[in-house]
Amino acid sequence: THYLNHTTFIVVIVVIISALFNVSRIVALYKNYHAPMDTFMELTTSRDILEDPNSKEPINVCIGKDWYRYPSSFFLPSTRYSIRFLRSEFRGMLPAYYSDEENATQIIHNYFNDRNKENPFMIFKNIENCDYLVDLNLNSKRNPPNEPNYSADTDHWTVLKELPFLNALQSHPIYRAFYIPFVSFKYVKHGSFNLLQKIVPEASDESVN
């Protein structure tokens, strides 16, 4: 008889094990890293509540140290919204905005370079003009000077959406890479990926003497 008649079960076992590993990996990636997508989608789902329909003022959505987790401008609700990159410890070249001119995607801007060198043009300098801010809070006791924990600044920001995001430094490498039901949660730690809204001070009524 052919040898395959006696080894088919080995192929089946290998396929099943591979499939389990693949599913476990997919679930781990989703549970640990899906927060940025859902955070920006919150802007769209809450648009009717957050946005003043009578205003045409631009809305600035700011992001600092987590700039590379920004998915795409397609996640912004409308053209009124603009992504703004705050100063962080990153010193490379940040993404730039498309031009309003014709063939905008083909234009090579003068602030681009081939050395991945930082250009101040791409940095939003006035955080007071941020209407929303996306911030990862890992509850770290020490934060770099340009990467403060904005989520803890409750005098200026309020949390609109809070989603779990993996704290890789405090998580076991195996259990953060693969999801094992009823076990993984014991060996991984999460911070929170937050959508913050600027607190606008209420105008105080002053009595005229």
Side-chain angles (χ1 to χ4, degrees):
T1 58
H2 198 277
Y3 73 93
L4 288 179
N5 294 336
H6 304 286
T7 58
T8 303
F9 74 95
I10 298 178
V11 176
V12 173
I13 292 175
V14 170
V15 170
I16 291 175
I17 293 176
S18 298
L20 290 175
F21 271 106
N22 289 331
V23 171
S24 177
R25 177 63 175 162
I26 292 171
V27 173
L29 289 174
Y30 176 79
K31 292 180 68 68
N32 294 331
Y33 299 105
H34 78 283
M37 293 286 190
D38 288 354
T39 300
F40 281 97
M41 289 175 65
E42 181 68 17
L43 288 171
T44 300
T45 55
S46 302
R47 179 180 178 182
D48 294 338
I49 300 175
L50 302 177
E51 194 175 311
D52 183 1
N54 299 319
S55 175
K56 295 184 179 180
E57 291 294 320
I59 299 174
N60 295 316
V61 182
C62 298
I63 187 168
K65 59 182 180 290
D66 302 295
W67 65 269
Y68 54 93
R69 295 192 175 103
Y70 169 60
S72 166
S73 292
F74 290 110
F75 282 77
L76 299 178
S78 69
T79 54
R80 282 186 62 192
Y81 291 75
S82 297
I83 194 70
R84 304 295 186 186
F85 298 106
L86 299 175
R87 166 72 69 185
S88 67
E89 297 299 317
F90 178 68
R91 290 296 176 268
M93 186 169 58
L94 290 167
Y97 310 108
Y98 284 124
S99 172
D100 294 330
E101 301 176 7
E102 187 178 356
N103 297 324
T105 59
Q106 300 180 18
I107 296 175
I108 301 177
H109 300 284
N110 56 8
Y111 40 80
F112 285 157
N113 62 82
D114 58 359
R115 299 186 300 275
N116 192 27
K117 186 178 180 181
E118 179 187 43
N119 191 306
F121 173 82
M122 304 172 194
I123 297 174
F124 196 61
K125 298 176 176 60
N126 194 350
I127 192 174
E128 294 180 357
N129 291 333
C130 295
D131 299 288
Y132 302 97
L133 197 154
V134 178
D135 182 53
L136 175 61
N137 179 17
L138 295 178
N139 297 311
S140 176
K141 296 181 179 179
R142 295 182 180 180
N143 296 292
N146 292 314
E147 297 179 356
N149 183 2
Y150 295 107
S151 301
D153 185 7
T154 55
D155 292 334
H156 298 92
W157 302 98
T158 182
V159 179
L160 291 180
K161 187 75 172 183
E162 182 177 353
L163 294 167
F165 192 89
L166 183 74
N167 187 335
L169 294 178
Q170 297 183 10
S171 301
H172 192 285
I174 297 297
Y175 292 99
R176 76 184 186 209
F178 298 96
Y179 175 73
I180 302 176
F182 311 111
V183 177
S184 291
F185 76 93
K186 298 179 182 179
Y187 300 96
V188 296
K189 299 293 183 182
H190 290 87
S192 58
F193 203 81
N194 300 332
L195 174 62
L196 310 177
Q197 183 179 26
K198 181 177 65 175
I199 297 177
V200 180
E202 296 181 1
S204 59
D205 297 329
E206 297 182 359
S207 59
V208 179
N209 295 328

